[in-house]
Amino acid sequence: MNKINQLFENSKEKKLLSLYFCAGSPTLEGTADVILAMQRKGIAMVEVGIPFSDPLADGPVIQSAATKALKNGMTLSKLFSQLEAIKDQVEIPLVLMGYLNPILHYGIEAFCQRCVKAGVSGAIIPDLPFDDYLNLVKPIADQYDLRIIMLITPETSEERIRFIDDHTDGFIYMVSSASITGTQKSFDDQKQAYFRKINAMNLRNPRMIGFGISNAQTLKAAQDNAAGAIIGSKFVSLLDEAQGDAEKALDTLFEALQL
């Protein structure tokens, strides 16, 4: 069974925490250390960012990390090599998150093949049009048992959400707001209403809420309304401040989240 499906199957009563970091930032060779530190600390799933020069959905923190990673020399091929080196040590699901351009340049089938070889269970491609996902990407990804995770936002129609739910597997990435990534102190009434609305739809796929989670309050709100939460910008900032010391960054994050 795909590790993503296995995670949610085995954790139906547990509120999950997934973390994102950008491969190659703050150090080129830090990918393995960060992933293994997350695993030791009990993180349920890791999103590994593929750095790109024009990350449209990302706020300044992740944009800065991507710029640093590219300057450090990170490439998709190098990332795959780093992941392959620790494949046998990693038990938690790994999800690559990156934009369509580098993946198309690499080749969709070659990308899926290499994901399997590197122990990657899924991919999030924020700028992948859904029609292209259905017609071009999904048939190839399915051959390799790779989950392509789609995003929904407060602006996604109920009809579209149900269509996504019917044609995807793994989980749905529920973006807390239609803005770019970044931290928030709390989720306002409008966002809470959005969470309740999606909850009431009784979707087939589990959901993970991301964008804006940085403290105990936003973490609890996300975990109360979905299978779990995804934290990106807050951890990327802490990892940079800790100069790549993942253990230190995780300890500081857990303090902020009151875990």
Side-chain angles (χ1 to χ4, degrees):
M1 179 186 290
N2 181 286
K3 284 184 180 179
I4 295 172
N5 298 93
Q6 193 171 16
L7 171 66
F8 290 103
E9 184 67 29
N10 295 339
S11 308
K12 288 182 177 177
E13 302 303 320
K14 184 180 177 184
K15 297 303 182 181
L16 303 174
L17 177 59
S18 174
L19 297 184
Y20 165 96
F21 77 102
C22 182
S25 179
T27 66
L28 179 61
E29 301 297 343
T31 304
D33 288 342
V34 176
I35 292 170
L36 295 174
M38 287 185 186
Q39 180 170 271
R40 287 193 299 272
K41 292 283 190 177
I43 299 302
M45 178 167 57
V46 179
E47 288 182 21
V48 185
I50 303 166
F52 181 52
S53 57
D54 190 21
L56 297 175
D58 294 316
V61 170
I62 294 178
Q63 285 188 20
S64 176
T67 299
K68 184 177 290 188
L70 292 171
K71 285 182 179 177
N72 286 343
M74 179 53 72
T75 64
L76 187 50
S77 292
K78 185 162 189 62
L79 172 56
F80 278 131
S81 296
Q82 291 178 343
L83 295 177
E84 285 166 16
I86 58 167
K87 178 182 178 182
D88 293 340
Q89 300 174 62
V90 179
E91 299 174 359
I92 57 178
L94 298 181
V95 179
L96 293 187
M97 186 167 187
Y99 291 85
L100 187 57
N101 186 288
I103 295 171
L104 283 178
H105 189 262
Y106 195 86
I108 292 172
E109 182 148 15
F111 174 81
C112 293
Q113 285 176 333
R114 201 79 189 272
C115 279
V116 173
K117 190 176 177 184
V120 172
S121 299
I124 301 168
I125 310 171
D127 58 342
L128 173 63
F130 199 76
D131 287 347
D132 289 346
Y133 157 72
L134 282 178
N135 297 319
L136 300 176
V137 178
K138 186 177 187 298
I140 298 171
D142 285 350
Q143 290 178 34
Y144 293 93
D145 196 33
L146 190 71
R147 304 290 175 262
I148 305 298
I149 307 304
M150 303 303 291
L151 291 79
I152 63 172
T153 77
E155 296 179 351
T156 309
S157 68
E158 183 170 333
E159 179 184 17
R160 187 69 164 182
I161 291 169
R162 293 202 181 279
F163 190 73
I164 289 171
D165 190 43
D166 287 342
H167 293 87
T168 60
D169 191 15
F171 70 95
I172 291 174
Y173 192 130
M174 189 171 159
V175 177
S176 67
S177 70
S179 63
I180 58 175
T181 58
T183 62
Q184 298 176 41
K185 291 183 178 178
S186 64
F187 290 132
D188 59 25
D189 291 343
Q190 189 175 10
K191 291 186 179 68
Q192 298 273 5
Y194 159 60
F195 296 162
R196 290 192 295 272
K197 171 193 165 186
I198 304 301
N199 254 336
M201 291 178 67
N202 294 314
L203 300 176
R204 177 179 60 84
N205 280 297
R207 288 160 288 111
M208 295 287 284
I209 296 177
F211 284 45
I213 300 166
S214 63
N215 57 22
Q217 187 176 356
T218 47
L219 175 66
K220 184 178 187 304
Q223 291 184 329
D224 284 349
N225 288 280
I230 300 167
I231 295 178
S233 295
K234 179 70 173 180
F235 179 70
V236 170
S237 292
L238 293 173
L239 188 62
D240 190 56
E241 289 168 14
Q243 298 181 321
D245 185 335
E247 294 273 357
K248 182 178 178 181
L250 287 164
D251 286 343
T252 307
L253 177 65
F254 289 170
E255 285 180 23
L257 299 175
Q258 298 177 21
L259 294 177

